[in-house]
Amino acid sequence: MSRLPQINNTLLVRHIAQSNLITCTADATADSLIKLMADKKIGCIVVCENRIPIGVVTRRDLLELWLDADKPSRAAEFMSSPVLTVSEWESVDEAGLRFISEEVRHLIVTKTSGEACGIISETDVVNSHGLEHDLFLRSVDEIANHAPYSIDSNCTVLAALQKLKESGSSALLITQHNEVSGIFTERDAVMLIAQNKQHQPLNELGGNTLVTIEQSLSLYNARKVFHQHQFQHLAITNYQGKITGLISYSEILQSVETDYVYRLRELLNERNRALEKSQHNLKLADKVIEASMEAIVICDKDARILRVNPSFTEITGYTSGEVLGKNPNILSSGRHNKQFYKEMWQNLKEQGFWQGEIWNRRKDGAVFPEWLSITSIRDESGNISQYASIFTDLTEIKKSEARIKRLAYFDELTRLPNRKLFHDRLQLSLGYAREHEHRIAVAYINVDFFQQINDLYGHENGDRVLMEIGRRIEHQLDEGDTVARFGGDEFNLILTDVDDTPHISEFLNRLLSTVNQPIVLDDKELKATISIGVSFFPTDADDAESLLKCADSAVHLAKDLGRNSFRFFSSEQHRLIQSRYQMGSDLQAAIDNGEFQLYYQPKICLKTNKPTSCEALLRWLHPQLGFISPAEFIPLAEDIGLINRIGHFVIEEACRQIALWRKQGQEINVAINVSAKQFHQGDIAEQILETLQRQGVPPHLLSVELTESCFLYCPEETTRALSTLRSEGIQVAIDDFGTGYSSLSYIRNIELDILKIDRSFLVNLESSEVDRAIVTSIIEMSHVLGLQVVAEGIEHKPQMNILKQMKCDQLQGFLLARPMPADAFINWHKHHNE
């Protein structure tokens, strides 16, 4: 039996090595290795032969293979060899020297027999030294990459991989519409290639989680974020919240693993060896101690001070002559009990090292925090001969941490209290109100149409609007009141002096008027309005959560009644809101249970009185309530995010019906309505064309109707989608013309085929000269632009006769027929074509 090597209390490689070593044979294929690497979420696989390591395959090795058209298949052909190994009995310090001299990131740990038994990384070595005090002193901004490479989200995984190789980076920023949407790393590439997704665009993959940190954050706190999310890369932002660069976990490690720190730690951990070195090395060590920005104290075995450096004097105020021969307890602050020091010395004797945060006292009596590291130095016999300590003044860091902690209670953009601080103050206000039988109010404020402000003026100006609104609200508050921003365009108020209802109504009217004043942004001027919902303690609710829910319920009524107003909570209103929520739940179930169907309303040509086409109209047959009007459930579907699923059903069902009628020998053009939210999704054109192709329907048999709001809500997406649809032969109609945006610019600049006049202009066509003049102008303008005109909502024959005289092209309305199911419509269509 072979003898184990002699060991002492030195930290050995075997103490920090990762024993769950992932290995493969030399015959392993690249495909199997990349799947193994993705499955185990590792960056290195060791190639072994009879448990003896013969090579290493890294994540970068595998990724470079996928860029090589003639990539080798067996691990033996592309592995890194020979293998750099380290004995499990080697000291961690010696392993650290190997990493520096060999310039590698991993070492294979072997037994005395040469068999592989684990692996250590540069990260393992650095973390084993406890570098918290170094991390405290540096910020993310000092080491981050402020010029990271980026790639558009439309590019494929392979393209991103090629960019990684060309740039020499381990990560890229993913951009979409000039905005950063995620981070692509070598680890991501391995996972995606393992799933055979290397040819897919990045924007179709999802999962590009983007975590950001401020550039002013300390490396210590940055490391906490890395550990929390288990990421290797984070995006960094400036004080305005704009992403300015990237930082990797390895950069943090490299920033603190300096030659200076290593030599200093050698001085503390290997004091006996240093004392035996030449006079030259002694002078070098002396210079390091004297030049150090950290305080260094050398004590004998009885803890009497032998030496201090200039930084010690600068931090404590004590000169060298005042402390030599004395015990370091002269610095004691009195904040730590005897048990604290007892455990410190016991740790020093047993493990040879102690580090932590401690409070000491300067010569002038001021108490200060420090980060202290103490190392025991042993002689050749293994007995403690000296103690060496290093400490750093944490006063400024503590102040910064306190400031950061305060910021945790305030909104980053407006500097108003955030949700947490608001809830704390609300609980205090409720306690006081209960004790003194006072009434308080909670107000929920929502900025009206804030999304449109962002779309028209940009997100940066949108933020400036929120800051100004927050400032104006705060200036209107009395002492003891609170305004907070929970996020987005929402503000919340705690009002404490509300025993007089007219008084609060006067205040709310003044608040509406103040916020409604023009806001100047550079050379632009805009007006913003708010809607306010108010609930009272104790009449509406007696706890914080219920008060907020009641205020939220009240603000919905304010928005439903025209916005730019305030409403007080009422139980009846709450019942209506709850009913709306119930309808939202029923709407979700309606999609799953197939409760929707399409009805078809015909259109005729005014010249021939023959059918030209029809419009597909969605109907919801509720199991308990019967038919529900689209006017009720379509806006709700848009609010709760179901409109895309409903729109998909309409496209599928309309194309299926067209195909069925074609089999019956009837080619009928069907118009479907498309919401602005569907255009905003970005793929509506592709969705329609794919459905037509799958159902075997010619594009000319489908028309798309959209409202004017599409050009306000998402003009770029709408223009792009319409161009694609018309290029394939699909007609495009503008619906309800004159009731929305009402700008001729999109009629002139956007390619359209049909303009539908809203029925509100046609109801009084017989009696109103103004309406007749408007309709005549719309028809003449449309014909000049080459558009067909459809008059909708026609119910009386005189209306039809007038429209004929005006040379309107088509007619739609109850005068012809009401919307009807598919079977009834086809019978009507056949009858009127005879």
Side-chain angles (χ1 to χ4, degrees), residues 152-357:
D152 191 87
S153 62
N154 290 319
C155 294
T156 64
V157 172
L158 278 182
L161 191 54
Q162 182 66 40
K163 187 71 172 285
L164 282 176
K165 180 179 179 182
E166 293 173 356
S167 64
S169 304
S170 59
L172 302 171
L173 290 178
I174 301 174
T175 60
Q176 187 171 17
H177 305 305
N178 295 322
E179 294 288 337
V180 176
S181 61
I183 300 175
F184 181 86
T185 68
E186 291 179 337
R187 180 185 292 183
D188 297 329
V190 167
M191 298 295 292
L192 295 169
I193 291 174
Q195 298 170 19
N196 200 26
K197 295 182 178 180
Q198 59 266 34
H199 298 295
Q200 288 188 240
L202 299 175
N203 58 14
E204 294 181 4
L205 297 172
N208 290 316
T209 305
L210 182 64
V211 176
T212 64
I213 56 175
E214 280 193 1
Q215 63 184 25
S216 60
L217 200 66
S218 70
L219 295 184
Y220 177 82
N221 287 320
R223 189 174 70 168
K224 285 185 178 180
V225 178
F226 276 108
H227 287 174
Q228 176 186 352
H229 293 280
Q230 293 298 305
F231 289 165
Q232 291 297 310
H233 296 82
L234 298 173
I236 62 170
T237 61
N238 58 20
Y239 294 108
Q240 288 75 41
K242 183 179 179 182
I243 293 176
T244 59
L246 268 176
I247 184 171
S248 67
Y249 187 66
S250 63
E251 287 170 332
I252 292 182
L253 300 176
Q254 294 167 8
S255 71
V256 296
E257 186 64 11
T258 62
D259 182 64
Y260 164 78
V261 173
Y262 173 76
R263 290 189 177 277
L264 190 55
R265 204 167 297 283
E266 278 287 287
L267 173 66
L268 297 174
N269 293 333
E270 303 287 337
R271 183 61 179 173
N272 284 333
R273 186 179 66 182
L275 293 174
E276 297 173 355
K277 287 185 178 181
S278 66
Q279 188 65 31
H280 173 77
N281 286 339
L282 285 174
K283 290 181 179 179
L284 179 61
D286 187 68
K287 288 181 179 179
V288 170
I289 292 173
E290 292 296 308
S292 174
M293 300 298 292
E294 298 168 311
I296 297 178
V297 181
I298 309 296
C299 296
D300 63 16
K301 64 179 181 178
D302 297 318
R304 289 189 295 264
I305 297 176
L306 299 175
R307 179 180 179 180
V308 296
N309 69 344
S311 291
F312 172 89
T313 299
E314 184 177 345
I315 292 174
T316 67
Y318 288 102
T319 64
S320 174
E322 291 174 318
V323 297
L324 291 181
K326 296 182 180 180
N327 192 291
N329 60 17
I330 63 171
L331 301 176
S332 176
S333 65
R335 291 196 177 189
H336 306 287
N337 56 29
K338 292 182 179 180
Q339 184 63 28
F340 174 85
Y341 292 107
K342 181 180 179 180
E343 292 176 358
M344 174 195 291
W345 284 105
Q346 183 177 351
N347 208 53
L348 268 171
K349 291 178 180 179
E350 292 177 356
Q351 300 184 22
F353 184 80
W354 183 91
Q355 73 170 0
E357 186 178 303

Side-chain angles (χ1 to χ4, degrees), residues 5-16 87-96 128-129 262 265-266 268-273 349-353 375-379 382:
Q6 295 295 318
I7 60 173
N8 51 31
N9 290 331
T10 303
L11 187 65
L12 302 178
V13 167
R14 66 195 305 265
H15 295 147
I16 69 168
S87 169
E88 64 177 332
W89 300 102
E90 195 77 52
S91 72
V92 172
D93 288 339
E94 291 298 327
S128 71
H129 283 80
Y262 173 76
R265 204 167 297 283
E266 278 287 287
L268 297 174
N269 293 333
E270 303 287 337
R271 183 61 179 173
N272 284 333
R273 186 179 66 182
K349 291 178 180 179
E350 292 177 356
Q351 300 184 22
F353 184 80
T375 298
S376 60
I377 301 172
R378 297 180 181 271
D379 58 23

Side-chain angles (χ1 to χ4, degrees), residues 439 498-509 566 568:
R439 194 167 72 139
V498 294
D499 291 332
D500 183 7
T501 300
H503 172 75
I504 189 173
S505 296
E506 179 184 340
F507 164 77
L508 293 172
N509 278 315
F566 65 86
F568 298 121

